[in-house]
Amino acid sequence: MKILVVDDEKLIRRSLQKAAQKKGHLVEVAEDGKIGLKIWKEFQPDLVFLDVLMPEMDGPTLLQMRPLEPAAKVILMSAFTGKYDSDKAQKMGADLFIPKPFEDINEVIQVAENLIK
Amino acid sequence: MVVFSDSELFKSLVLDGKESSLNLSFSMELDNSELILGSQKLRSQALELGVPFVLVGADFSLEEISESSGLHQDFSILDLNQSPQNLKISLQVILEDLNRKKEEQNLRSSLIRENDLLQGQVYKKNRELQEQETKRQEKSQALRKASTILRKRIFFLKSLNRAMELSEVVSMVQDEVRKTKGLGGAVLAIPQNGEVRVLYLSGRLVLEKRIKPLPGNQNGDWRQVLANLLNRPIAPLLEFEGAKNRFLLFIEHQVPKSKLRDFILEWKLRMVGLELVLDRFQLEKDLSEAALFWEKTFDGLDEPIGIFDSEQNVVRANQLFDKELLLKVNEEIIRRGSQVFNVESYPIQMARGVAEGSKVVHLSDQSSSYQLKQHIIQTEKIAALGQLAGHIAHELNNPLTGIRSLCQVLLAEESLSESFREDVSEVENAAHRCQKTIKNLLDYSKPHTEDRHVPTDVNEVIGNTLPLLKSLIGKFKHEVNLGEALPKTLADPHMLQQVIFNLVANACQSMESNKKGKVMVSSFFENDQIQIWIQDEGPGVPKKYQQKIFEPFFTTKGEGQGTGLGLSLSLNVIRSFGGNLTLDENYEEGARFVIEMPKWESGD
């Protein structure tokens, strides 16, 4: 499975990347929405981990500009749990909302894998 | 000079032959003296007239001459047997002598007259002097009498002035009246509050009776009234009226009024003094009533108030101003337990508008407004903290999530050495703790919305919470008493659970020092409030911390063991439900936290 991680926090990109790679997935990372959009178009991921608050272009904007074909599953992530929840995320075009911080990164990968199945 | 003679010879000699007759009187000028010759007949006339005369004749004996001359010792004998010349000279000598005597006589007479006149004047003067002396003595006697009366009056009025009570006045008046003979009992009648107070002496005892006012003030009426009142016959009465007609003095008497004139005059004067004394009593009474009124007002104030002199001594303080407060009167704010007083002091303005250094100190009870203020401060603190926490939490959460996640990735690495694994595990734990702190902060700052408030059964929440604490609570004896059929309360069950979790966890932690102690959780409905008690038998909260434990960031736990947000957060949560969280200060076996929640009415 091809996974794109768009997050401005290097440690999160790195940990998601490593955890996913360990499970045998192909992972690309982007540090903001703008780069993320570019990679998204080229890489054509099956699933995207998308942070909400980022410099240059934030998660919701990227969601609006994302290529619809081929369709990718999107998991929206945010520390501002007060502002976002699954319903809101779905309205914005995401498939799932995961609040930060994660309790266990391996569970997050598991959730992502379940979403693709 | 009258010469009486029956001798012709004498005629011829003396008269130089001038015609003469014994029966006729004649005169001749002889050195200004009148010489009258006369007969026996004329002699008696001359005697009657008191005119000096001379008897000339041979027939007259010496006795006869001495007798009839009127000049008993003072006569001369003329010797007729001498020459006419000598006779004339002798006669002239006699006449001169007579004249001289006559002049002397005249002089004496005039002296005597003058003397008599002077004596008369002296006598008159003496009479006048005597009269003046008598008058003076009378006057001085009158003065002495008047001064005695005055002295007595002054003495009486002075003693009256020292009187402290009406009964003393009555005794004094009675004693004074008795000094005058024929006078009897004295009775004082004072109209007061629609009645008349009648005071009189019975033996040495002053009695007082109250009667209805008489329609008129006639003496006869009073005699009758007093007779009834004193139960004895009453003699005729002298009646004295106070100048302002506010009281009457009656004096019994047995003498005609005319004989009492001085007494009546004197007592009319004394009435002025009596009136002054009665006025003083009235004034004292008014004053003491005013003082009492003021005192009651002062003591009735429901906040401490006192008057202090310039030396800071208490002049007066009401009962609420107790010793403890008096000691702290120089502070600006006095705190005692849950009471807070603002010390407000005002200088006392004397009549002239000059402050004499005295002041009124009023302790205004600020307890409720102080608590409100504290609450507002805390709410503001929380709001500021919330903003800050929001920013920090976001900034920290991302890297922390990364650190923790990366640790988790590393820990999944099978090839990791045991030592590395432990290190990574520590890092992961630390990151986890950081996250928890941040989560606390976020919860703390999250505005509490009532959207999530639902009718909640607190017993159910307690029941859901305790299993989560199994590992902790299981170490101690514990008791759970849940009241039956508790009404529901409007709350966010999840938040309430957090609060209960927090409190029970705290209770368990406090028992580290007393492992045999018991943790107790109970719920019941009392005073129209749903109550949850969470108590332990740990060391309890020291008195000095009791006011502070609900403040944010206050903690007694060691570094890294607590954020100090638990209780303040819990209080905020319970308050958002309209309830309250308190520490029971009277519980001494450990700590007892009391949650009170309003019951939910289905209309809410």
Side-chain angles (χ1 to χ4, degrees), chain A residues 9 11-12 14-15 18-19 22 53 79-80 100-106, chain B residues 390 394 397-399 401-406 408-409 412-413 428 432 435:
Chain A
E9 176 58 53
L11 283 179
I12 288 185
R14 200 174 165 85
S15 55
K18 281 209 165 186
K22 226 176 158 188
L53 267 182
F80 284 106
K100 281 194 220 171
F102 316 135
E103 246 340 275
D104 188 337
I105 188 124
N106 297 319
Chain B
H394 185 68
N397 244 346
N398 273 334
T401 306
I403 290 167
R404 211 177 153 205
S405 299
L406 212 52
Q408 286 163 353
V409 171
E413 204 68 50
E428 202 258 328
H432 188 205
Q435 280 186 332

Side-chain angles (χ1 to χ4, degrees), chain B residues 220-265:
Chain B
D221 291 352
W222 273 105
R223 225 179 134 184
Q224 190 58 49
V225 167
L226 293 180
N228 290 340
L229 205 63
L230 276 62
N231 205 17
R232 66 172 170 81
I234 298 290
L237 291 175
L238 291 174
E239 179 179 328
F240 298 94
E241 220 171 59
K244 295 169 201 162
N245 198 18
R246 277 212 306 261
F247 70 99
L248 295 165
L249 172 65
F250 298 106
I251 298 173
E252 287 180 277
H253 71 96
Q254 302 281 14
V255 266
K257 255 193 182 181
S258 57
K259 289 195 175 173
L260 288 168
R261 215 181 116 258
D262 287 348
F263 179 83
I264 290 171
L265 280 176

Side-chain angles (χ1 to χ4, degrees), chain B residues 340-407:
Chain B
V340 181
F341 295 106
N342 263 2
V343 181
E344 293 164 1
S345 75
Y346 315 93
I348 296 177
Q349 297 287 319
M350 303 310 276
R352 287 180 202 151
V354 184
E356 307 249 337
S358 301
K359 59 181 182 180
V360 175
V361 176
H362 169 215
L363 303 190
S364 113
D365 193 340
Q366 302 291 313
S367 305
S368 54
S369 69
Y370 177 78
Q371 278 159 10
L372 188 67
K373 201 168 143 196
Q374 290 302 102
H375 189 183
I376 290 169
I377 290 172
Q378 187 161 343
T379 309
E380 280 173 358
K381 270 189 197 167
I382 289 164
L385 186 66
Q387 274 190 324
L388 190 69
H391 290 296
I392 294 172
H394 185 68
E395 290 302 317
L396 294 185
N397 244 346
N398 273 334
L400 278 175
T401 306
I403 290 167
R404 211 177 153 205
S405 299
L406 212 52
C407 288

Side-chain angles (χ1 to χ4, degrees), chain A residues 53-79:
Chain A
L53 267 182
M54 285 181 296
E56 296 292 331
M57 185 189 289
D58 63 9
T61 314
L62 178 54
L63 261 181
Q64 283 174 358
M65 297 177 70
R66 72 184 194 274
L68 294 174
E69 289 294 331
K73 297 285 184 188
V74 179
I75 295 177
L76 202 63
M77 307 179 294
S78 176

Side-chain angles (χ1 to χ4, degrees), chain B residues 503-511 514 517-521 533-541 583 587-593:
Chain B
L503 292 174
V504 176
N506 276 350
C508 293
Q509 279 165 13
S510 79
M511 301 252 287
N514 177 21
K518 189 163 73 178
V519 177
M520 206 160 98
V521 180
W533 284 11
I534 293 145
Q535 67 188 58
D536 59 56
E537 290 175 2
V541 181
L583 174 72
Y587 180 73
E588 286 174 346
E589 274 88 87
R592 175 193 284 157
F593 286 89

Side-chain angles (χ1 to χ4, degrees), chain B residues 585-598:
Chain B
E585 290 173 11
N586 299 322
Y587 180 73
E588 286 174 346
E589 274 88 87
R592 175 193 284 157
F593 286 89
V594 176
I595 300 173
E596 287 176 305
M597 308 264 278

